[in-house]
């Protein structure tokens, strides 16, 4: 026998909290509220101040010009300053570069090839080499060499040096190769026919061509990449106006779909549900037909056994039998759910219609995602610029190098000795004549440079935290506006005139700390996921099966945790927008409210997801098909003004339109999804707070009250 409860003993509390109590003064989002999560607000503001300091330090110490402009041997930029009219870098002996390091990678990472490099106004357009007789005949350097390709400080007309001395000191190149600029660097151009007659001293034409071709294979690829980039730019320049028209059509379709949901939400949901059932029924029929045909003449699993050729299993009768059983079970479960949850599906449809009505009254909410998008653009741009300036911070360092270590007296030059190009004196390294002070890399010493990695980590954390805060701000602002709609007794009379602006100002004034708190929790989980991805990438070649399984499980768990936190934060922001409480209290109340109505939550979530997925497919698919037929020229148009432009890659504007249409549809439908979630929480609280009496009337629309067999009692007239 169980123990009897004492008369004064309180009953056990409900597992998910008690229902909301009636509050006669509640009329929607509470206006009189105080600041929440002040400590986290202060921490977030301090972090932002530190983020700004990091950006300022990066701006002071960084030099992004090294990414944009190339450098010559002395470290001077080509294309700006004194070399403003010389934007290209010419390598004297390109073979030394391609045989030692990848020239493109070296140029982009600040490393230099062991050959002189100068800034030139244009790249050579022909293959040329100094004649062997020029070393012996004592000809004037100006008659043999070309001033445009020599060191700027050398005047071939006034010099007393011979051709041999000039070439031994690497003051001029021994040969030039027909080139064209790529990344502002003169790289070989093998498309010219003059290559057939070009030979280096002591080599045949074929061996010269083979050596240069094999050594510059990656350079040719970079030239092809430049050609592709040029063509892409040309396609965008000729089709940008049609791309904008396609995006405008996507916006109109998204807006039209949301407005039509108010009229056809019910039939559309049932068509989608029955369509899913019809697809499942056809799958069962197809599996039965295949199984019947293979049962008499097909192979069995005993005949095939185990094989890695999966296509073989399509001719095995047991494959179709298993598929038939699985589809039949899934179809049966869906039918049972449809039968037993039909009333909750009707409630979800009614809430979706009410969401369309709310958006129709507050059309400005549809364009609020532009504010969120602008904030995210600012966050990403600030992060990218800070990362760039941090990566290019430091002072340039120079080292004594020789382009020919086998020359007399040059074997002792190791390339590790530092130098100053302004005071460098080559005479002290005699008898080595091919020596110079060459730019090597950027200095990594100093307090700021030693902490670059930590500052980059701070920059990444700043990006995630601020971006999550911007998304949280948008969710909380929209929730406050839609909650004002639901709790308005007489619609549209009692809806605030500027509900969206009021919600925005209220959120910024009181709840920055709560939004920063929720964004911080999500940021921590995302950082852990980034670390796991990094470890997985680094250990991919060395990890054993247990490590792979452990990392896979951890990645899966934290992916699920991130999804759950996003769901919890979303509903917490709704409660914050309505009641003005701190993040933890709001998250707890929202979670308990949802758990008390878990079946309704699942049904509404899946019905809404199905509906919005159909809307996205309709918008993106429709615009994508239209763009394909237009840009591929499959739509016959006689008027040249409205005809598709001639494109190098017609798929490029199509892809741009499709991606842009998806982003536009995602922005509109995210507002709609937030509206449905907000109205749903308000609806659940309405059911718990009120009972339809004169003192406690329902706020829900009459369509929902009819579904629940509820109604508001009218006050008796005296």
């Amino acid at each position: 026998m169980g123990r009897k409860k004492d008369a004064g003993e309180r009953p056990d509390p409900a597992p998910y909290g008690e229902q909301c109590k009636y509050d006669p003064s509640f009329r929607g989002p509470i206006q009189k509220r105080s600041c929440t999560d002040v400590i986290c607000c202060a921490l977030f503001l301090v972090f932002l101040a530190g983020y700004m300091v990091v950006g300022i330090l990066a701006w002071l110490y960084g030099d992004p010009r090294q990414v944009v402009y190339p450098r010559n041997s002395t470290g001077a930029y080509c294309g700006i300053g004194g070399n403003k009219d010389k934007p290209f870098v010419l390598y004297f002996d390109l073979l030394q570069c391609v045989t030692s390091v990848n020239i493109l990678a070296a140029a982009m990472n600040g490393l230099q090839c062991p050959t002189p490099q100068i800034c030139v106004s244009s790249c050579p357009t022909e293959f040329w080499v100094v004649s062997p007789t020029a070393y012996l005949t004592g000809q004037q350097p100006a008659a043999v060499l070309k001033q445009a390709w020599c060191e700027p400080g050398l005047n071939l007309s006034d010099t007393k040096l011979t051709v041999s001395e000039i070439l031994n000191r690497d003051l001029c190149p021994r040969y030039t190769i027909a080139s064209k600029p790529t990344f502002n660097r003169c790289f070989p151009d093998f498309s010219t026919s003059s290559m057939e007659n070009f030979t280096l001293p002591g080599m045949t034409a074929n061996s010269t061509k083979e050596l240069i071709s094999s050594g510059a294979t990656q350079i040719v690829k970079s030239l092809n990449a430049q050609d592709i980039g040029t063509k892409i730019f040309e396609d965008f320049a000729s089709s940008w106006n049609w791309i904008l028209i396609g995006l405008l059509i996507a916006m109109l379709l998204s807006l039209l779909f949301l407005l039509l949901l108010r009229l056809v939400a019910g039939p559309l949901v049932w068509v989608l549900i029955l369509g899913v059932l019809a697809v499942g029924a056809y799958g069962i029929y197809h599996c039965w037909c295949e199984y019947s045909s293979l049962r008499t003449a097909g192979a069995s699993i005993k005949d095939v056994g185990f094989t890695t050729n999966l296509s073989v299993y399509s001719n095995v009768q047991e494959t179709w039998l298993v598929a038939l059983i699985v589809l039949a079970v899934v179809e049966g479960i869906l039918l049972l759910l449809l039968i037993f949850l039909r009333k909750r599906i009707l409630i979800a449809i009614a809430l979706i219609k009410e969401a369309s009505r709310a958006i129709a009254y507050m059309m400005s909410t549809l364009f609020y995602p532009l504010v969120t998008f602008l904030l995210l653009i600012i966050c990403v741009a600030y992060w990218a610029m800070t990362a760039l300036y941090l990566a290019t911070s430091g002072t340039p360092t120079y080292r004594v190098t020789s382009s020919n270590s086998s020359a007399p007296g040059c074997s002792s030059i190791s390339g590790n000795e530092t130098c100053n190009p302004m005071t460098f004196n080559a005479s002290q390294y005699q008898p080595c004549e091919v020596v110079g002070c060459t730019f090597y890399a950027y200095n990594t010493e100093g307090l700021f440079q030693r902490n670059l990695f930590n500052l980059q980590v701070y920059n990444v954390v700043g990006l995630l935290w601020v971006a999550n805060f911007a998304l949280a701000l948008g969710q909380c602002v929209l929730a406050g506006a839609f909650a004002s709609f639901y709790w308005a007794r007489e619609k549209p009379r009692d809806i605030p005139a500027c509900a969206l602006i009021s919600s925005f100002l209220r959120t910024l004034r009181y709840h920055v700390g709560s939004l920063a708190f929720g964004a911080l929790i999500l940021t921590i989980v995302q950082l852990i996921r980034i670390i796991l991805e990094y470890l997985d990438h680094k250990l991919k070649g060395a990890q054993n099966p247990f490590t792979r399984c452990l990392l896979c499980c951890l990645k899966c768990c934290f992916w699920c945790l991130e999804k759950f936190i996003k769901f919890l934060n979303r509903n917490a922001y709704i409660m914050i927008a309505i009641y003005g409480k701190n993040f933890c209290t709001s998250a707890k109340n929202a979670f308990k409210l949802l758990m008390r109505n878990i079946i309704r939550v699942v049904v509404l979530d899946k019905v809404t997801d199905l509906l919005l997925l159909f809307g996205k497919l309709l918008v993106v698919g429709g615009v994508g098909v239209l763009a394909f037929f237009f840009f591929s020229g499959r739509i016959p148009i006689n008027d040249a003004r409205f005809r598709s432009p001639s494109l190098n890659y017609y798929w490029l504007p199509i892809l741009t339109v499709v991606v842009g249409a998806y982003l536009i549809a995602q922005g509109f439908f995210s507002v709609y999804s937030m509206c449905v979630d907000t109205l749903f929480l308000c609806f659940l609280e309405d059911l718990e707070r009120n009972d339809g009496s004169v003192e406690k009337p329902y706020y829900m629309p009459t369509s929902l009250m009819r579904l629940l067999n509820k109604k508001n009692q009218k006050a008796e007239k005296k």
Side-chain angles (χ1 to χ4, degrees):
M1 299 290 293
R3 183 180 64 87
K4 294 184 178 180
K5 294 182 180 180
D6 298 334
E9 185 176 350
R10 298 181 61 184
D12 294 334
Y16 297 111
E18 299 180 355
Q19 295 188 355
C20 301
K21 302 297 183 181
Y22 172 70
D23 183 4
S25 62
F26 181 72
R27 293 293 184 273
I30 296 175
Q31 302 298 325
K32 294 183 179 180
R33 55 180 73 192
S34 58
C35 296
T36 56
D37 296 304
V38 179
I39 296 178
C40 195
C41 178
L43 179 63
F44 183 62
L45 294 178
V46 171
F47 180 87
L48 287 181
Y51 200 15
M52 295 177 63
V53 171
V54 171
I56 294 173
L57 290 176
W59 181 76
L60 291 176
Y61 288 94
D63 187 9
R65 292 180 300 175
Q66 62 172 295
V67 179
V68 181
Y69 302 99
R71 286 176 176 265
N72 60 17
S73 297
T74 63
Y77 290 111
C78 299
I80 57 175
N83 296 320
K84 186 176 182 181
D85 57 343
K86 299 179 179 180
F88 309 119
V89 167
L90 174 66
Y91 297 84
F92 276 16
D93 190 358
L94 195 58
L95 295 180
Q96 295 189 33
C97 299
V98 297
T99 55
S100 57
V101 292
N102 181 344
I103 185 174
L104 182 59
M108 297 304 292
N109 289 287
L111 302 176
Q112 296 294 83
C113 299
T115 185
Q117 299 135 51
I118 62 171
C119 300
V120 294
S121 57
S122 62
C123 295
T125 58
E126 62 180 358
F127 291 93
W128 168 84
V129 63
V130 177
S131 173
T133 59
Y135 294 89
L136 304 175
T137 59
Q139 297 184 39
Q140 290 296 323
V144 178
L145 305 174
K146 299 185 178 182
Q147 182 69 55
W149 315 133
C150 295
E151 288 284 356
L154 177 67
N155 189 341
L156 295 178
S157 301
D158 299 335
T159 183
K160 298 180 180 179
L161 299 175
T162 64
V163 173
S164 178
E165 291 173 336
I166 291 175
L167 296 179
N168 289 336
R169 295 185 182 183
D170 280 339
L171 299 177
C172 294
R174 300 173 184 269
Y175 64 90
T176 60
I177 302 175
S179 309
K180 57 182 178 181
T182 301
F183 298 109
N184 286 350
R185 293 161 177 88
C186 296
F187 286 164
D189 181 12
F190 294 98
S191 61
T192 177
S193 60
S194 60
M195 179 66 186
E196 302 297 332
N197 301 321
F198 173 66
T199 59
L200 291 175
M203 301 176 63
T204 64
N206 290 334
S207 60
T208 299
K209 182 178 180 180
E210 181 180 354
L211 178 61
I212 296 178
S213 299
S214 61
T217 299
Q218 294 182 349
I219 301 175
V220 174
K221 292 180 180 179
S222 69
L223 292 174
N224 294 335
Q226 187 200 34
D227 292 340
I228 294 175
T230 303
K231 292 178 181 179
I232 289 175
F233 180 79
E234 292 174 353
D235 288 346
F236 273 120
S238 59
S239 62
W240 66 269
N241 51 342
W242 296 108
I243 292 176
L244 291 180
I245 292 175
L247 298 180
L248 180 61
I249 294 175
M251 186 180 69
L252 294 177
L253 284 178
S254 301
L255 185 60
L256 180 62
F257 182 82
L258 294 182
L259 295 178
L260 287 178
L261 282 180
R262 184 175 179 181
L263 303 175
V264 298
L268 187 58
V269 169
W270 287 114
V271 167
L272 292 175
I273 293 175
L274 294 177
V276 172
L277 294 175
V279 171
Y282 175 77
I284 294 173
Y285 169 75
H286 181 75
C287 292
W288 171 255
C289 293
E290 293 289 339
Y291 174 69
S292 300
S293 62
L294 294 174
R295 186 170 51 177
T296 56
S300 65
I301 192 67
K302 295 181 180 179
D303 302 327
V304 175
F306 176 78
T307 177
T308 56
N309 187 6
L310 300 180
S311 61
V312 174
Y313 290 106
S314 61
N315 297 319
V316 176
Q317 54 180 310
E318 284 84 0
T319 302
W320 296 102
L321 179 61
V322 172
L324 174 65
I325 295 174
V326 172
L327 286 177
V329 171
V330 173
E331 188 81 357
I333 293 174
L334 290 177
L335 285 172
L336 291 176
L337 290 176
L338 183 62
I339 293 173
F340 289 103
L341 300 179
R342 62 187 184 279
K343 189 173 183 179
R344 290 182 171 85
I345 293 176
L346 293 174
I347 294 175
I349 294 173
L351 282 171
I352 290 172
K353 291 181 178 179
E354 190 69 4
S356 300
R357 183 183 173 203
I359 292 176
Y361 284 132
M362 293 183 289
M363 292 292 292
S364 59
T365 56
L366 286 175
F367 300 97
Y368 184 82
L370 294 177
V371 178
T372 303
F373 181 73
L374 179 61
L375 293 176
L376 292 177
I377 289 294
I378 294 174
C379 294
V380 174
Y382 184 83
W383 164 80
M385 292 301 298
T386 303
L388 177 62
Y389 273 88
L390 286 175
T392 58
S393 61
T395 56
T397 58
Y398 302 85
R399 292 188 178 182
V400 179
T401 59
S402 174
S403 60
N404 187 3
S405 59
S406 61
C410 298
S411 58
S412 61
I413 299 177
S414 61
N416 296 323
E417 182 183 355
T418 60
C419 58
N420 186 343
M422 303 301 295
T423 60
F424 179 73
N425 185 6
S427 61
Q428 62 183 357
Y429 295 94
Q430 294 294 335
C432 182
E433 295 181 345
V434 286
V435 65
C437 186
T438 305
F439 169 74
Y440 174 71
Y442 281 85
N443 185 19
T444 58
E445 298 178 358
L447 179 63
F448 181 78
Q449 285 74 25
R450 289 198 302 268
N451 290 277
L452 285 180
F453 177 78
N454 298 330
L455 294 176
Q456 290 285 20
V457 172
Y458 192 99
N459 190 29
V460 173
V461 175
L463 170 67
L464 294 176
W465 196 359
V466 176
N468 288 326
F469 176 83
L471 294 173
L473 177 64
Q475 293 175 352
C476 193
V477 169
L478 291 174
F482 292 129
S484 300
F485 166 84
Y486 185 92
W487 296 108
R489 177 64 66 185
E490 297 292 337
K491 302 177 180 63
R493 187 190 64 186
D494 295 339
I495 300 175
C498 301
L500 184 65
I501 297 177
S502 299
S503 179
F504 181 79
L505 297 177
R506 187 167 59 241
T507 302
L508 283 182
R509 180 178 179 183
Y510 296 107
H511 306 303
V512 171
S514 297
L515 302 185
F517 191 9
L520 178 61
I521 297 174
L522 183 58
T523 299
I524 293 174
V525 176
Q526 291 173 340
L527 283 174
I528 296 175
R529 289 194 62 200
I530 293 175
I531 294 173
L532 290 176
E533 291 290 345
Y534 175 78
L535 292 177
D536 187 33
H537 175 72
K538 286 294 183 180
L539 302 177
K540 186 165 293 184
Q543 59 189 346
N544 54 36
F546 174 76
T547 307
R548 286 198 300 268
C549 180
L550 179 61
L551 276 176
C552 183
C553 293
L554 288 174
K555 287 163 62 178
C556 180
C557 291
F558 277 96
W559 179 84
C560 296
L561 180 61
E562 182 181 356
K563 295 297 181 183
F564 174 75
I565 290 178
K566 285 182 177 180
F567 172 78
L568 187 63
N569 284 3
R570 185 183 181 91
N571 291 282
Y573 298 147
I574 295 175
M575 301 299 280
I576 290 172
I578 299 175
Y579 299 104
K581 297 183 180 180
N582 60 47
F583 177 82
C584 293
T585 302
S586 300
K588 179 187 68 174
N589 293 339
F591 179 75
K592 290 182 176 180
L593 178 62
L594 294 174
M595 291 303 297
R596 292 197 296 267
N597 301 270
I598 187 61
I599 302 298
R600 288 172 176 166
V601 172
V602 174
V603 172
L604 178 74
D605 186 59
K606 297 308 173 187
V607 170
T608 305
D609 288 346
L610 182 64
L611 194 60
L612 296 184
L613 175 62
F614 176 77
K616 291 177 185 177
L617 292 177
L618 179 66
V619 173
V620 177
V623 174
V625 170
L626 179 62
F628 171 77
F629 280 97
F630 177 76
F631 288 110
S632 62
R634 286 174 169 80
I635 300 179
I637 301 176
N638 297 326
D639 194 340
R641 294 175 301 174
F642 304 104
R643 195 178 303 157
S644 171
S646 178
L647 302 172
N648 297 298
Y649 310 105
Y650 70 85
W651 51 264
L652 185 66
I654 296 175
L655 184 61
T656 305
V657 169
V658 169
V659 174
Y662 174 80
L663 294 176
I664 290 173
Q666 179 69 20
F668 278 102
F669 293 162
S670 65
V671 175
Y672 193 85
S673 178
M674 195 68 202
C675 182
V676 172
D677 290 345
T678 303
L679 297 184
F680 180 60
L681 280 183
C682 295
F683 162 73
L684 296 180
E685 289 221 358
D686 193 11
L687 283 176
E688 294 185 357
R689 286 178 176 274
N690 306 307
D691 57 8
S693 62
V694 176
E695 294 80 10
K696 297 187 288 185
Y698 292 115
Y699 283 83
M700 69 184 72
T702 55
S703 58
L704 278 173
M705 285 192 282
R706 283 197 299 267
L707 289 174
L708 299 173
N709 293 323
K710 298 180 182 296
K711 62 179 181 179
N712 285 330
Q713 298 178 5
K714 296 182 179 180
E716 297 181 359
K717 296 182 179 180
K718 295 183 179 180

